[in-house]
């Protein structure tokens, strides 16, 4: 017998981006049985320095040793190249071990302001495309898109909660796109039902303008239906509904309707309870699944502020002694110290900022104990 519990909520699309440099931390993930040795070791400066007096420098542990002024531009470029290659190798391993997806060969073409890309495939074999990964440029980030087919494979081997732990560990705090869906095989949540509920404002979330409606139907030369789609909202809006006849789309017999929602620029907290997020969107989705509803978590707020505090704490722990040595050597000359530690191109790049709206700047300064006045 069919019931509401027979209409589970599942993830049908997942997209996120992050700086390639987050790969420096993948080997520090804390979990019983986690094998960190599978990730390629990070390079060390000493392998790119010809001076014998540098031979005793320690291995690179996540934050590089302060480069010597005697190092040539060629040596620094060699190190930077090796580091990026290491990050990329780690990215391949991470995508494979965490998502169960294998990166195909580079396609020689990018997209979304990236220079290159590769298709993603199931690690179980097969030729079905599970998504795409982009890299190269765009502020040294990578961008992952996992399709519905890919999500079905990914979540057959892991859980949304496990992905949340990984994203949180790597300071990936938001998702570019996150689709949730349910299937109906009983003819209850059909396109006609969606139209009826739209007229009753069941898709209105209670804030902002009411979503618009778009209907798309098709028939063939014989008069048989070929498609039946109801779109509510717009592709540019944060919440976009699509209710359609999946049986017609897949050209199969029987009743099969899908109600899916596309969420954009949303907090990773949605991974903690996807079903509750789905049912909490509006009255329409609340009817479909019995899970207690939950509102969409705020993307910005204390989480990014806590992440900044964690980065400062990590930097203090990893590099405090080394920075103090530089401080004493230059007798407290802050300008000289910064010129040694921060590369010129990073100082000139005004886009290197924490991605936090101005409204949270005061809260951030208070939490990090910064003064808002110059005295």
């Amino acid at each position: 017998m069919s019931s509401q519990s027979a209409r589970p909520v599942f993830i049908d699309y997942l997209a996120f981006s992050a700086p390639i440099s987050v790969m420096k931390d993948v080997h520090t993930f804390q979990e019983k049985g986690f094998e960190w040795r599978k990730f390629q070791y990070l390079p060390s400066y000493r392998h790119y320095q010809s001076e014998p007096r540098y031979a005793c420098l320690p291995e690179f542990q996540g934050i590089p040793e302060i480069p010597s002024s005697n190092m040539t531009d060629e040596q620094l470029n060699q190190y930077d190249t090796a580091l990026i290659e290491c990050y990329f190798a780690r990215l391949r391993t991470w995508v494979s071990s965490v998502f169960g997806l294998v990166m195909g060969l580079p396609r020689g073409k990018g997209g979304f302001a990236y220079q290159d890309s590769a298709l993603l495939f199931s690690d179980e074999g097969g030729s079905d495309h599970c998504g795409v990964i982009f890299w190269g440029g765009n502020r040294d980030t990578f961008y992952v898109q996992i399709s519905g087919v890919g999500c079905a494979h990914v979540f057959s081997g892991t859980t949304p909660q496990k992905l949340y732990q990984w994203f949180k560990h790597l300071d990936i705090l938001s998702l570019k796109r996150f689709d949730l869906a349910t299937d109906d095989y009983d003819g209850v949540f059909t396109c006609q039902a969606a139209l009826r509920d739209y007229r009753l404002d069941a898709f209105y979330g209670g804030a902002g303008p009411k979503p618009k409606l778009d209907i798309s139907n098709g028939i063939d030369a014989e008069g048989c239906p070929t498609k039946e789609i109801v779109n509510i909202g717009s592709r540019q809006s944060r919440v976009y509904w699509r209710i359609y006849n999946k049986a017609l789309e897949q050209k199969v017999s029987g009743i099969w309707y899908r109600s899916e929602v596309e969420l954009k620029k949303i907090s990773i907290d949605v991974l903690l309870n996807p079903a509750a997020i789905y049912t909490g969107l509006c009255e329409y989705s609340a009817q479909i699944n019995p899970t207690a509803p939950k509102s969409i978590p705020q993307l910005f707020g204390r989480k990014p502020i806590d992440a900044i505090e964690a980065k400062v704490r990590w930097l203090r722990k990893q590099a405090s002694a080394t920075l103090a040595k530089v401080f004493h050597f230059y007798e407290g000359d802050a300008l000289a110290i910064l010129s040694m530690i921060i590369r010129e191109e990073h100082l000139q790049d005004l886009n290197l900022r924490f991605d936090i709206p101005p409204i949270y700047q005061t809260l951030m300064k208070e939490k990090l104990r910064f003064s808002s006045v110059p005295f």
Side-chain angles (χ1 to χ4, degrees):
M1 176 181 292
S2 296
S3 66
Q4 284 187 323
S5 60
R7 301 188 187 99
V9 177
F10 57 92
I11 300 171
D12 199 43
Y13 195 94
L14 178 66
F16 63 93
S17 66
I20 189 71
S21 59
V22 302
M23 291 295 109
K24 69 180 182 298
D25 296 321
V26 290
H27 66 288
T28 62
F29 185 70
Q30 298 295 314
E31 183 184 62
K32 184 177 181 180
F34 172 67
E35 181 50 62
W36 59 271
R37 295 177 184 84
K38 60 188 172 185
F39 294 103
Q40 181 175 317
Y41 283 94
L42 293 164
S44 168
Y45 268 124
R46 70 179 183 179
H47 298 302
Y48 301 90
Q49 295 171 320
S50 57
E51 294 288 338
R53 60 195 176 101
Y54 297 121
C56 62
L57 286 175
E59 291 291 326
F60 177 74
Q61 296 290 336
I63 184 169
E65 303 91 354
I66 304 301
S68 168
S69 58
N70 294 329
M71 289 183 68
T72 65
D73 289 340
E74 181 181 0
Q75 289 171 331
L76 286 172
N77 289 335
Q78 288 175 345
Y79 173 79
D80 288 340
T81 299
L83 188 61
I84 293 298
E85 289 176 351
C86 176
Y87 287 161
F88 192 75
R90 285 183 163 210
L91 177 61
R92 281 182 175 273
T93 304
W94 183 68
V95 169
S96 175
S97 61
V98 175
F99 296 87
L101 299 175
V102 177
M103 290 175 56
L105 294 174
R107 300 191 295 175
K109 62 178 181 179
F112 305 99
Y114 291 94
Q115 298 171 359
D116 210 343
S117 63
L119 296 176
L120 297 173
F121 300 89
S122 165
D123 59 359
E124 296 178 349
S127 59
D128 289 339
H129 299 167
C130 294
V132 187
I133 183 168
F134 300 86
W135 70 87
N138 212 344
R139 302 183 187 179
D140 294 324
T141 62
F142 64 92
Y143 179 33
V144 178
Q145 295 178 329
I146 304 176
S147 66
V149 172
C151 285
H153 172 69
V154 169
F155 294 109
S156 68
T158 190
T159 64
Q161 293 75 23
K162 181 67 173 291
L163 289 190
Y164 169 84
Q165 293 174 9
W166 265 109
F167 287 145
K168 184 178 180 181
H169 175 71
L170 298 178
D171 282 340
I172 302 173
L173 304 177
S174 65
L175 304 175
K176 294 287 187 181
R177 179 177 159 187
F178 186 66
D179 290 11
L180 295 171
T182 54
D183 285 331
D184 175 79
Y185 302 101
D186 305 308
V188 177
F189 297 98
T190 63
C191 291
Q192 291 302 314
L195 290 173
R196 177 201 64 209
D197 288 349
Y198 176 80
R199 289 190 290 268
L200 297 173
D201 289 336
F203 287 91
Y204 183 55
K210 295 181 180 180
K212 65 180 182 179
L213 173 69
D214 180 67
I215 304 171
S216 179
N217 294 303
I219 58 173
D220 60 18
E222 305 298 326
C224 299
T226 57
K227 68 176 180 179
E228 184 185 7
I229 305 172
V230 173
N231 296 318
I232 299 172
S234 70
R235 298 304 295 264
Q236 290 72 41
S237 60
R238 191 183 183 194
V239 179
Y240 174 63
W241 281 96
R242 184 169 179 258
I243 297 89
Y244 61 102
N245 192 325
K246 188 74 173 177
L248 287 180
E249 182 196 62
Q250 297 295 312
K251 296 180 174 57
V252 297
S253 60
I255 299 173
W256 183 8
Y257 283 87
R258 176 164 292 182
S259 297
E260 65 184 28
V261 62
E262 180 180 310
L263 306 173
K264 302 182 187 70
K265 296 181 180 179
I266 193 167
S267 168
I268 60 170
D269 287 352
V270 296
L271 291 165
L272 294 174
N273 194 340
I277 296 300
Y278 183 85
T279 57
L281 289 171
C282 59
E283 292 181 5
Y284 174 79
S285 56
Q287 315 171 74
I288 300 177
N289 185 282
T291 304
K294 183 178 180 181
S295 60
I296 298 178
Q298 293 294 320
L299 177 57
F300 297 104
R302 293 303 292 265
K303 178 177 287 293
I305 296 169
D306 290 339
I308 295 174
E309 184 182 32
K311 287 180 181 296
V312 173
R313 189 186 308 115
W314 176 85
L315 182 63
R316 181 183 179 90
K317 179 180 178 181
Q318 295 291 329
S320 179
T322 301
L323 293 175
K325 292 177 184 178
V326 177
F327 179 85
H328 295 313
F329 180 80
Y330 285 98
E331 299 180 347
D333 188 337
L335 187 59
I337 294 171
L338 288 175
S339 65
M340 284 291 296
I341 296 173
I342 305 177
R343 291 160 57 176
E344 183 64 25
E345 60 265 33
H346 291 159
L347 283 174
Q348 298 297 328
D349 188 355
L350 299 181
N351 292 319
L352 286 177
R353 299 175 180 270
F354 287 109
D355 190 14
I356 297 178
I359 192 173
Y360 293 105
Q361 294 296 322
T362 301
L363 179 60
M364 182 188 74
K365 291 176 181 178
E366 289 178 357
K367 192 168 193 300
L368 297 181
R369 296 182 180 179
F370 288 161
S371 175
S372 59
V373 294
F375 50 83

